[in-house]
Amino acid sequence: MKLAIVGGGPAGLYLSILLKRQDPSHDIAVYERNPEGSTYGWGVTYWAGLLDKLRAGDPESAAAVAEASVTWNDGVAIVRDERTVHRGDAGFGIGRRRMLALLTDRAEELGVRVDFEHDVTGPDAPELAGADLVVAADGVNSVLREAHADHFGSEVTAGRNQYIWLGTTKVFDSFSFAFKETEHGWIWCYAYGFSGERSTCVVECSPETWTGLGLDTSGETDSLRLLEKLFHDLLDGHELIGRERSDDAAQWLTFRTLTNRVWHRGNVVLLGDSAHTTHYSIGAGTTLALEDALALADALRPPEATRTPAGLDAALTTYGKRRRAELVSAQSAARYSAQWYENLPRYMRLEPARMFALLGQRHSPLLPHIPPQLYYRIDRAAEQLEPLRRLKRWLGPRVARAVHGRR
């Protein structure tokens, strides 16, 4: 097959690796509009289950990613200047730039052509002529998807809160949170390490707090200094960094949740953020994109999937149906997680340890409908009583379906 992959993010690069391993005769080109080594964001997170899947897909790149990652086990929260710790499963962080470099090297080693600073402007671009398969891995603003948005059934829902993606020289050895109350409302930060030198900090607040603190009109330097002051105990005197490139300032954004009714049109198929986005607060975006690549490669594995247009259409249909079904749980968790933060004051009356415990329960469809103190007591009791635990598991999906059905 001749394949054109538009977008050199983790999903597009990893798909090229998988398909080249499946059939070295594939002619695969990856087109990335940005210069090599240029990327948004700082670090990405993932959990051990992803590494197992990556090892099955390509042991060499999995080993390189694992070696370049840092790990943590605990969650730490600072609430009203009180520090509390929650023991949890091992998590991993890796710099986005480092991950892309490792995947690029592996793809090129296998014979994939990776062209940087190569912008594909639409479905009629000359780079796509003659391709048996075109993969739209060009992100949430995908030009290939937007050219036929009605066909894909694209829907975008904007979140309420404002957030900004920053870096810091403070190296965190746990996934850390800080919640600060100001005269204009609450503002909070998620922070995690991704190397021995840097960490990611995501700051979020309501629009009322954002405007009240003047963050809507402040320049980047003034905004960072204010945030450093607010989160001084979390940062231990370290600085916040907007963007590594001096000509590009960090931006306050509202998160956009993207869904698509179908994932392919003819020989064009969606992958990663061009197909779906999930709120950053569940830390699953890169994982889900890489799982897309694994699923698409698997759908294209049988010989009949690549021999005829009908075979390719059947394979792409199978891929889309499978991934949309697999994403239901993650999308539900992301939706409830985003809503938890949008309703943060509801939980801040709790003592810090209880508030942090409910932070860990923010994916629950029951939590928005039960007073927080009562939910906490039920949750603690459910740890001891199996019938109550079964009742929670039974009620959760039914509440979620009832709420979703009213929308």
Side-chain angles (χ1 to χ4, degrees):
M1 291 181 71
K2 181 179 180 181
L3 296 101
I5 300 176
V6 182
L13 289 168
Y14 193 60
L15 177 66
S16 76
I17 293 168
L18 296 173
L19 293 180
K20 200 67 172 175
R21 277 174 50 86
Q22 285 178 200
D23 188 345
S25 70
H26 284 326
D27 177 3
I28 305 177
V30 177
Y31 300 104
E32 169 54 46
R33 63 176 173 266
N34 292 316
E36 186 172 6
S38 171
T39 181
Y40 67 90
W42 292 89
V44 298
T45 60
Y46 65 92
W47 277 261
L50 176 66
L51 271 182
D52 294 337
K53 295 175 182 178
L54 296 183
R55 290 189 185 102
D58 178 46
E60 288 81 359
S61 60
V65 168
E67 185 178 356
S69 298
V70 299
T71 186
W72 64 83
N73 290 290
D74 296 339
V76 174
I78 300 173
V79 185
R80 298 192 195 89
D81 301 324
E82 180 177 327
R83 186 180 295 263
T84 182
V85 178
H86 174 73
R87 307 297 178 186
D89 297 330
F92 300 84
I94 183 172
R96 181 177 170 86
R97 178 179 294 177
R98 181 66 175 141
M99 172 178 269
L100 292 177
L102 294 172
L103 295 178
T104 298
D105 289 346
R106 177 60 174 155
E108 292 180 332
E109 175 187 310
L110 292 171
V112 175
R113 299 190 313 280
V114 183
D115 291 345
F116 293 99
E117 298 183 76
H118 196 133
D119 194 12
V120 175
T121 57
D124 298 324
E127 298 88 350
L128 310 183
D132 299 297
L133 178 63
V134 175
V135 181
D138 50 343
V140 65
N141 297 314
S142 169
V143 296
L144 299 183
R145 186 197 67 240
E146 285 302 296
H148 302 286
D150 289 343
H151 170 83
F152 290 110
S154 305
E155 293 186 5
V156 176
T157 304
R160 182 174 185 272
N161 286 350
Q162 294 283 334
Y163 75 97
I164 190 168
W165 207 275
L166 304 170
T168 179
T169 53
K170 166 71 182 290
V171 178
F172 291 92
D173 57 7
S174 60
F175 203 107
S176 301
F177 303 82
F179 298 85
K180 299 294 178 178
E181 189 172 21
T182 75
E183 61 181 317
H184 304 289
W186 289 90
I187 186 168
W188 54 97
C189 175
Y190 325 75
Y192 55 89
F194 64 81
S195 74
E197 296 82 33
R198 297 285 172 89
S199 298
T200 296
C201 286
V202 183
V203 179
E204 182 179 346
C205 62
S206 71
E208 294 81 8
T209 303
W210 183 58
T211 56
L213 292 173
L215 293 167
D216 57 328
T217 57
S218 299
E220 182 183 67
T221 299
D222 290 340
S223 293
L224 296 186
R225 298 298 85 81
L226 173 59
L227 295 176
E228 286 168 357
K229 183 178 179 180
L230 287 170
F231 296 109
H232 64 92
D233 49 354
L234 178 74
L235 296 170
D236 293 328
H238 286 263
E239 65 175 346
L240 289 171
I241 308 167
R243 292 284 181 94
E244 289 188 288
R245 290 167 51 192
S246 59
D247 60 339
D248 191 11
Q251 301 292 320
W252 287 92
L253 303 167
T254 55
F255 189 82
R256 294 183 297 157
T257 299
L258 168 71
T259 60
N260 286 279
R261 186 179 62 252
V262 296
W263 283 23
H264 83 283
R265 179 181 186 273
N267 70 336
V268 177
V269 63
L270 306 181
L271 185 77
D273 282 356
S274 71
H276 57 86
T277 60
T278 54
H279 195 263
Y280 53 82
S281 62
I282 68 168
T286 299
T287 293
L288 296 175
L290 293 172
E291 289 175 347
D292 286 353
L294 287 160
L296 181 53
D298 186 59
L300 294 171
R301 187 183 304 277
E304 59 271 18
T306 60
R307 284 178 179 161
T308 66
L312 179 62
D313 185 77
L316 299 182
T317 299
T318 297
Y319 155 72
K321 287 182 177 179
R322 170 184 168 182
R323 286 304 290 153
R324 288 193 298 276
E326 291 172 344
L327 281 164
V328 168
S329 176
Q331 289 171 333
S332 174
R335 183 171 64 252
Y336 284 110
S337 180
Q339 290 173 358
W340 193 92
Y341 286 106
E342 289 175 352
N343 293 285
L344 184 77
R346 181 175 190 259
Y347 305 99
M348 299 312 292
R349 292 187 293 272
L350 299 172
E351 63 181 80
R354 293 190 175 192
M355 176 267 171
F356 195 23
L358 293 195
L359 171 66
Q361 292 284 316
R362 65 189 183 277
H363 308 151
S364 168
L366 290 176
L367 184 53
H369 307 286
I370 297 176
Q373 285 280 16
L374 177 59
Y375 185 96
Y376 176 82
R377 295 190 183 100
I378 292 173
D379 188 58
R380 294 289 85 85
E383 292 181 356
Q384 307 298 324
L385 300 172
E386 176 60 26
L388 190 54
R389 190 157 54 244
R390 287 200 300 268
L391 177 63
K392 272 187 66 182
R393 288 198 299 265
W394 181 83
L395 275 176
R398 285 156 179 80
V399 170
R401 285 197 296 269
V403 172
H404 186 71
R406 291 200 299 267
R407 291 179 177 166

